[in-house]
Amino acid sequence: MRASQASLIAAIAIAGAGVVVAPRSSRAHAFPAAEQPMVGCTMNAVPAEVEIRFDNPIEAMFAHLQVSDKSGADVTADAPAVSEDRITLSVKLKPLAVGDYAVKWSVVAQDSHRSEGSYTFTVAGSRD
Ligand SMILES: [Cu+2]
């Protein structure tokens, strides 16, 4: 996996320089398989973290996860973390008030393809 990681980093460096890298295969793209809180859900319990499970491994180095409130303020309590199997991206949250929240994620799969997305969830209940 060393060589493939090195070539991935090289590919990203090239992509960052503005050169288009032709996708060889789309099979190893990473897309969300499950989100917690679920996409668009209104929940009574206040979530302590946001967790996205992907369908393929992601590169920890290039994984981003932002959670913000309606005013755009960051409500994450820590840096995002990638699980050891590289399938799950999560971030701990500050104590959330009632309101709408936006989740934005961006990851790079092992085939060097980037995917990104965003969704919202709503906290309706109280902390108890
Ligand atoms: Cu791909």
Side-chain angles (χ1 to χ4, degrees):
M1 292 316 274
R2 276 275 151 76
S4 79
Q5 274 184 341
S7 65
L8 168 66
I9 290 163
I12 287 160
I14 291 163
V19 177
V20 175
V21 178
R24 212 179 292 166
S25 158
S26 62
R27 285 190 304 170
H29 273 92
F31 286 107
E35 296 90 349
Q36 198 59 247
M38 288 185 288
V39 173
C41 89
T42 296
M43 54 203 311
N44 292 317
V46 177
E49 65 173 14
V50 164
E51 185 179 285
I52 303 176
R53 188 159 49 82
F54 287 86
D55 59 357
N56 277 299
I58 58 174
E59 297 293 340
M61 224 176 138
F62 304 110
H64 301 284
L65 180 55
Q66 293 177 299
V67 186
S68 51
D69 68 15
K70 219 167 183 180
S71 75
D74 177 20
V75 296
T76 60
D78 210 345
V82 173
S83 60
E84 214 159 302
D85 60 8
R86 301 203 271 175
I87 285 294
T88 303
L89 175 61
S90 64
V91 70
K92 302 251 182 271
L93 302 176
K94 293 173 183 168
L96 299 187
V98 168
D100 298 329
Y101 294 91
V103 178
K104 275 179 81 173
W105 60 268
S106 144
V107 299
V108 171
Q110 287 181 305
D111 67 356
S112 86
H113 297 157
R114 175 176 291 278
S115 50
E116 58 185 23
S118 61
Y119 64 91
T120 61
F121 67 87
T122 301
V123 175
S126 59
R127 301 212 77 220
D128 49 42

